[in-house]
Amino acid sequence: MIHRRALLAAGALAPVAARAQGRRKSQGFYESGRTKERTVRFASRSVTLAGTLLLPLISELQYVPGVVLVAGSGPTDRDGNNALVVERIDLLKEIAELLGRHGIASLRYDKRGIGQSTLRPRDSLAAEEAFFAWDNFVADVEAAHAELLRHNEIKPYATALLGHSEGGLLSLAAGKALGKKVHALVLAATPGRKLDEIVRAQVERNAPALRGPVDHTIATILANGRVPASLPRELDLLFPPYAGPFLQKLLSFDPAAVLAEIPTACLVLQGGADRQVVPMGDVQPLIDALRTRGAPGEAIVFPQVSHNLKLVAESSDPGFVGPLAPTVAEALVKWLAQALGA
């Protein structure tokens, strides 16, 4: 009787097994550039950061490389959109989707104070200053990298940081702290000079009448980490009252010197039509730093490409909208695939 029951049970399971076999996906299904999304939340220095992990479907069969995408300055969300810009930029979302189609996972996240991450405190200036400290933003990049590694689809020996603009500076600082845990760096539209020099040059080009107040403000911030009161209204966005401690470290951060110390493969991507980080003056120090290192490095400047790595139609086009420039996309995928073994 026991033997007969075992046979009956096996017979009952046979159709289920057959149906499961029929649903099994072919290898080609996974290699067709398909992706899947996973919403993530992770802790970093008393805040919770919200993000999106985008995985190529091939990760269901094998480990894949992973990249942390780090947003630029201002109120920028995980997709690369800035609340102060009307147009949808979607730079980080486009990069994530590009990488996913080519077998590379990515984690992008809302910056602290933005989107679904912990919002800024409103109770005091001191609380805001502490919340927006430079070291906290660097720690957020490190926490995002740890979250990336927490997912078992990711190759722990094939990860990268990709930072855009100010995000490139944060990636450099985090990359130095993480050391050999990070295997590649991509610096997109990232300045190679100290930011105090770049800000002064931008003001000189675009608003020379403000050069005096800007010089005074920068000197005060560098000296004591405080934004002086009664700034001209035109400088409110550039120097928010709560950003003194953050700006003190940001303005004095030397990206080329830090890059020279990091033994990590590095790619520098720069738009030739960038009006914020101007080639070649703002970028040349990074190129010079690449030459001094013993690690692989490459720098590419793309004609008619904006600060947001989009094609520009004319000199007045800010290059906010549209897809990632094809030449940038091709170079990024090719370099990362080689650096991470995708």
Side-chain angles (χ1 to χ4, degrees):
M1 180 63 71
I2 295 174
H3 180 66
R4 177 178 172 78
R5 285 176 179 170
L7 289 175
L8 288 172
L13 289 173
V16 177
R19 288 196 297 271
Q21 188 79 9
R23 289 196 302 267
R24 187 172 295 162
K25 300 179 180 70
S26 67
Q27 184 81 7
F29 175 86
Y30 290 101
E31 294 178 344
S32 61
R34 297 171 185 264
T35 60
K36 61 180 182 180
E37 266 189 8
R38 185 178 300 160
T39 299
V40 298
R41 298 182 69 83
F42 54 97
S44 176
R45 291 201 174 184
S46 76
V47 306
T48 298
L49 300 174
T52 300
L53 178 68
L54 189 67
L55 292 157
L57 274 189
I58 193 69
S59 65
E60 295 182 356
L61 300 180
Q62 64 188 43
Y63 297 122
V64 296
V67 180
V68 174
L69 306 181
V70 187
S73 61
T76 306
D77 65 16
R78 72 186 77 180
D79 290 339
N81 293 310
N82 190 311
L84 302 177
V85 178
V86 176
E87 294 91 345
R88 286 193 64 84
I89 300 171
D90 279 341
L91 173 61
L92 299 186
K93 181 180 180 182
E94 291 174 3
I95 291 175
E97 292 171 347
L98 169 73
L99 298 182
R101 291 194 299 271
H102 288 84
I104 301 173
S106 64
L107 174 62
R108 62 192 196 272
Y109 60 95
D110 294 333
K111 294 167 65 175
R112 57 174 54 220
I114 302 299
Q116 296 178 33
S117 293
T118 300
L119 298 181
R120 63 191 283 188
R122 299 283 184 176
D123 47 343
S124 70
L125 177 61
E128 287 187 289
E129 288 179 334
F131 182 84
F132 288 112
W134 164 267
D135 291 344
N136 285 343
F137 281 99
V138 176
D140 293 348
V141 180
E142 296 175 43
H145 184 261
E147 172 65 19
L148 178 71
L149 290 176
R150 192 180 67 79
H151 296 267
N152 58 15
E153 296 95 337
I154 305 301
K155 290 181 183 178
Y157 50 87
T159 63
L161 305 178
L162 186 158
H164 175 245
S165 193
E166 183 183 285
L169 303 180
L170 294 171
S171 296
L172 279 168
K176 182 178 179 181
L178 289 169
K180 293 182 179 180
K181 293 179 182 178
V182 172
H183 308 90
L185 283 173
V186 179
L187 307 178
T190 299
R193 293 195 291 162
K194 291 183 180 180
L195 205 64
D196 69 326
E197 301 173 14
I198 292 178
V199 170
R200 294 178 204 269
Q202 288 178 345
V203 171
E204 186 66 41
R205 287 194 305 270
N206 302 314
L210 292 173
R211 179 62 190 267
V214 167
D215 285 344
H216 169 70
T217 301
I218 290 177
T220 302
I221 291 172
L222 290 175
N224 59 32
R226 292 290 180 272
V227 176
S230 304
L231 289 180
R233 289 185 60 188
E234 298 90 338
L235 299 181
D236 285 347
L237 289 176
L238 191 57
F239 303 108
Y242 58 81
F246 173 82
L247 290 171
Q248 186 180 40
K249 290 201 172 182
L250 174 63
L251 291 167
S252 59
F253 184 80
D254 189 339
V258 174
L259 177 58
E261 298 174 3
I262 298 178
T264 305
C266 181
L267 172 66
V268 174
L269 300 175
Q270 176 63 41
D274 191 332
R275 293 187 288 182
Q276 292 176 246
V277 178
V278 180
M280 292 298 297
D282 294 342
V283 185
Q284 190 62 47
L286 291 180
I287 298 173
D288 294 339
L290 287 176
R291 292 171 177 156
T292 67
R293 304 166 346 123
E298 185 174 358
I300 310 174
V301 179
F302 301 91
Q304 292 184 290
V305 170
S306 73
H307 183 68
N308 288 292
L309 307 182
K310 312 292 183 77
L311 284 174
V312 297
E314 54 190 23
S315 59
S316 61
D317 182 359
F320 289 142
V321 300
L324 193 67
T327 51
V328 175
E330 181 182 3
L332 176 60
V333 167
K334 180 180 179 181
W335 190 88
L336 277 177
Q338 183 174 1
L340 301 180

